[in-house]
Amino acid sequence: MAAAPRLPRTTRSPQPDPATHPVDRTLPPLRMFTSGLQHVAAMYAGVVAPPMILGPAVGLTATETAFLMGASLFTAGLATLLQTIGFWKVGARLPFVNGVSFAGVTPMIAIGKAHSPDDALPVIFGAVMVAGVLGFLLAPWFCKLVRFFPPVVTGTVITLIGVSLLPVAFNWSQGGNPAADDYGSPRAIGLAALTFAIVLLLRRVLRGFLQQIAILLGLVAGTLFAIPFGMTDFGALRNAGLIGFPAPFHFGAPQFDTAAIVSMVIVMLVCMTESTADMLALGRIVDRPADERTIEGGLRADTLGTALSPVFNGFACSAFAQNIGLVAMTRVRSRYVVATAGGILVLLGLCPVAASVIALVPLPVLGGAGIVLFGSVAASGMQTLATAALEQGENALIVAASVGVGLIPIAAPDFYHAFPDDLLVILDSGISTGCIVAIVLNLLFNHLGSRDRNPGPTGTEAPAPEPTVAA
């Protein structure tokens, strides 16, 4: 009997289904892991910075502060998984990274100082939990604000997100600690400039997958260059334990104080406003516009993550805009890549020694890469503004006024120093103030009494075409 003909082997990997949106596609395991690790490297400093600031402010020891940092990594991973994978009506199901919000740092320090060291964190955690629950209940109504975010508003806000993040990169480039003797030294800035140049060079000469992880490669190269100059601290790695679970309510059962709850509810509303703008920005970048349903799911993930975080000693969660810049630059749109980053964050929270490896990256190296990342966000905003018909009506005035107000906390950080602390939660965020001004001016100029105006990109009747980003 003749042998059956052998089918020819194929050496090509299976091609993704063209009917599947790039957001919903998976990547090969190695690409999935390295791309996810790149997201973690981009956001790591932002996640651990709030607990690093808050811990000493409320009287924690160095060991307790390190525990708080691990808990923040763990809860950021859980919140990111809620956003990317989701369940029921929870989750934007976009490549959306969540982590500890900087908006809550100042109010939480004020709450901590108003209570004894033993009660500070329990009161903070109780207020965060209540704020998260209230935000979760408000999400179905809050998401309807999307109709007030046409391109003239979203483009302005996205630009402000990028511009507001650039000072963070500049601070990292100088060393991150203004009180340090070598802050802003030529050595620190030189390392940042070297990393900046390496990232640009790699993006120029590499192709395909290697080009997509140019930020990660740049961070590795910058860290290796820093070692001979003694700018990489191995102390945290030597002292870190192998396993460390953030035990629930490690600092005591939550306490509920009315004034603290009011402060954190304001923070939650600010976080929801910024997350809405971030989801709209990310939706445009990945070519899947965020509608009311998407934003409602994203806000539910934000607020549910916030409500659950204090159980594991974490704080309010919101979007990390720097990772939006990473998506824009790498053009890797898969939400499963960011879900992988969420899984890595959970593991880092459970394994202090692994978290310490990521922490080896010096802040000047992060700063050099951050300039590219955050600039990419601003560039995406400018791309959106290009579709906003600035020559029509008062659109150019809306952008000018909103950007001007949004730049105040960046250009003059002490501008609002005489205002009450509760107002500073909003006023000290250029993203929040610029967003509010853009929404109000858009309502005044393009909605109220605008029947005789031509419908177009500024209104809801004929939205501008969404900018497309290559896969």
Side-chain angles (χ1 to χ4, degrees):
M1 182 181 294
R6 297 178 64 182
L7 296 175
R9 286 186 178 180
T10 176
T11 57
R12 294 184 179 181
S13 58
Q15 296 298 311
D17 182 357
T20 303
H21 195 282
V23 168
D24 297 319
R25 293 176 188 166
T26 58
L27 303 181
L30 179 60
R31 290 185 62 188
M32 191 86 77
F33 176 77
T34 51
S35 298
L37 186 62
Q38 187 170 235
H39 275 281
V40 173
M43 71 176 293
Y44 181 89
V47 174
V48 300
M52 192 185 300
I53 296 169
L54 182 64
V58 298
L60 297 187
T61 64
T63 302
E64 291 172 328
T65 300
F67 176 89
L68 209 59
M69 292 162 60
S72 294
L73 290 169
F74 180 77
T75 54
L78 294 180
T80 298
L81 289 171
L82 283 176
Q83 279 289 10
T84 52
I85 305 299
F87 69 95
W88 183 56
K89 296 181 180 180
V90 176
R93 293 173 174 83
L94 290 172
F96 200 54
V97 176
N98 272 40
V100 183
S101 172
F102 268 97
V105 173
T106 301
M108 288 191 296
I109 290 175
I111 293 170
K113 289 181 177 178
H115 296 82
S116 67
D118 291 337
D119 294 332
L121 283 177
V123 170
I124 290 171
F125 289 147
V128 171
M129 291 177 72
V130 173
V133 171
L134 291 177
F136 187 87
L137 297 176
L138 283 174
W141 290 275
F142 201 92
C143 71
K144 297 186 184 300
L145 292 175
V146 67
R147 60 189 291 258
F148 301 119
F149 284 83
V152 69
V153 174
T154 55
T156 300
V157 174
I158 297 167
T159 303
L160 280 173
I161 290 172
V163 173
S164 296
L165 287 169
L166 281 171
V168 177
F170 301 152
N171 180 49
W172 289 347
S173 299
Q174 296 176 86
N177 182 12
D181 293 336
D182 61 347
Y183 182 75
S185 66
R187 186 176 64 168
I189 294 176
L191 182 59
L194 177 63
T195 306
F196 176 79
I198 289 173
V199 170
L200 294 180
L201 179 64
L202 292 176
R203 287 287 300 178
R204 178 66 181 86
V205 302
L206 297 179
R207 294 292 182 268
F209 170 61
L210 292 178
Q211 186 186 58
Q212 292 172 348
I213 62 168
I215 290 288
L216 181 60
L217 297 176
L219 292 174
V220 172
T223 303
L224 292 176
F225 275 110
I227 292 175
F229 295 97
M231 299 180 67
T232 303
D233 183 8
F234 291 90
L237 183 61
R238 287 192 295 267
N239 299 326
L242 183 61
I243 299 175
F245 183 75
F249 301 124
H250 175 78
F251 295 96
Q255 300 177 24
F256 303 98
D257 177 84
T258 302
I261 289 172
V262 170
S263 293
M264 294 314 299
V265 167
I266 294 173
V267 170
M268 192 74 260
L269 293 174
V270 171
C271 291
M272 292 171 73
T273 301
E274 293 187 357
S275 287
T276 298
D278 288 339
M279 279 184 272
L280 290 166
L282 185 59
R284 290 178 177 277
I285 288 169
V286 302
D287 198 25
R288 178 184 275 182
D291 54 15
E292 284 188 17
R293 193 173 188 179
T294 301
I295 293 173
E296 180 181 349
L299 293 177
R300 280 197 170 117
D302 267 7
T303 52
L304 180 60
T306 296
L308 292 176
S309 286
V311 176
F312 300 102
N313 314 285
F315 305 104
C317 295
S318 67
F320 265 48
Q322 53 261 52
N323 293 84
I324 296 176
L326 189 58
V327 172
M329 198 182 80
T330 64
R331 298 181 181 178
V332 177
R333 296 184 274 177
S334 171
R335 61 189 171 104
Y336 296 105
V337 164
V338 177
T340 301
I344 294 172
L345 287 169
V346 170
L347 292 177
L348 291 177
L350 298 175
C351 182
V353 68
S356 299
V357 172
I358 302 293
L360 289 177
V361 180
L363 282 180
V365 172
L366 281 174
I371 293 173
V372 181
L373 285 177
F374 305 157
S376 297
V377 178
S380 296
M382 296 173 193
Q383 181 185 6
T384 303
L385 284 175
T387 71
L390 297 183
E391 74 281 357
Q392 293 183 7
E394 305 295 344
N395 285 348
L397 179 61
I398 293 172
V399 175
S402 304
V403 170
V405 172
L407 286 176
I408 290 175
I410 304 169
D414 296 327
F415 189 83
Y416 299 112
H417 74 278
F419 284 71
D421 289 342
D422 290 341
L423 283 178
L424 293 181
V425 175
I426 298 174
L427 296 177
D428 278 348
S429 169
I431 300 171
S432 297
T433 53
C435 181
I436 291 170
V437 171
I439 292 172
V440 171
L441 292 182
N442 179 61
L443 283 172
L444 290 175
F445 291 131
N446 294 323
H447 288 265
L448 300 179
S450 61
R451 292 182 180 178
D452 297 331
R453 294 178 183 270
N454 294 325
T458 60
T460 57
E461 299 91 341
E466 306 292 342
T468 301
V469 180

